[in-house]
Each structure stands twice: as C-alpha cells, then as structure tokens.
Amino acid sequence: EVQLVESGGGLVQAGGSLRLSCAASGLSLDAYAIGWFRQAPGKEREEVSCISSSDGNTYYADSVKGRFTISSDNAKNTVYLQMNSLKPEDTAVYYCAADPVFRMYGICIATQYMSWGQGTQVTVSS
C-alpha cells in the first residue's frame, strides 16, 4: 500500500522559507512521479511542482518558478519542496501525491496522481 506523509508546514513571515518533506512508503521513487499540489480556502487545487526521479524531469508552476525547488532523495524515499521568498498568496494546504505511470510530458496533472497524503498547512503572514 502506498502511503505519503507530508511534514514541514507552518507559519512564516513573507520573504521567509520553509522546506516540506514527503516521506513515501510502499513505492520506489525510481518508478513514480511525485507531485506537490496546494489548495487555498475557497480556491481550486492547483499544481505546484512535480518530479519524475527516473529521468530527472521536473515541472514548476509559473507562480513558484525561481522560488521553489523540488528534489528527491531516493535513498530516503523522500521528496522535498524547498520554498523560498514566500508570499501570502502561497498560503494553502500542501499535498504530495504519487503517479505510478512514466510520462514524458504532462507530469504535473493532478488527475493522474493516484495516491495522496493528508496535507500540511503553510501560512505566510504579510
């Protein structure tokens, strides 16, 4: 059974940093894409960043490019999302998810992700 556990969320001032972790079990990162998605109150879920460790392919939403970095530690079966220069509009619940299908394109489409974590709250104060 695939399980994903997020951690690292919290309250931070604008301009600050957080690092989210997604600890995976029941899967190998070599065979899955892992994505970070977020949902703010009253808004639809949106993709943030995704990584396919098998080929190193990464995706970033335009809103986080240059500020967020996704990485994976296959030995620890953990994917990280380093978030710098945080803005109040980054406030949301952040979820990690796993896609078992290798894709050359479109690796960050939420409906392709079959397993989801419980989420971690990120709050950025102005």
Side-chain angles (χ1 to χ4, degrees), residues 23-81:
S25 60
L27 61 81
S28 171
L29 292 184
D30 288 341
Y32 282 72
I34 301 294
W36 286 97
F37 301 85
R38 67 187 181 187
Q39 187 164 21
K43 295 188 177 181
E44 293 188 355
R45 180 180 58 191
E46 62 176 353
E47 70 278 4
V48 176
S49 182
C50 299
I51 185 167
S52 175
S53 297
S54 61
D55 62 354
N57 191 12
T58 58
Y59 167 91
Y60 294 94
D62 287 343
S63 59
V64 306
K65 278 181 183 176
R67 301 189 297 122
F68 291 11
T69 303
I70 192 168
S71 62
S72 65
D73 184 334
N74 288 13
K76 295 183 178 180
N77 237 30
T78 299
V79 173
Y80 303 98
L81 184 68

Side-chain angles (χ1 to χ4, degrees), residues 78-93:
T78 299
V79 173
Y80 303 98
L81 184 68
Q82 178 66 45
M83 306 187 296
N84 298 329
S85 302
L86 282 161
K87 304 175 181 179
E89 51 263 44
D90 294 317
T91 296
V93 177

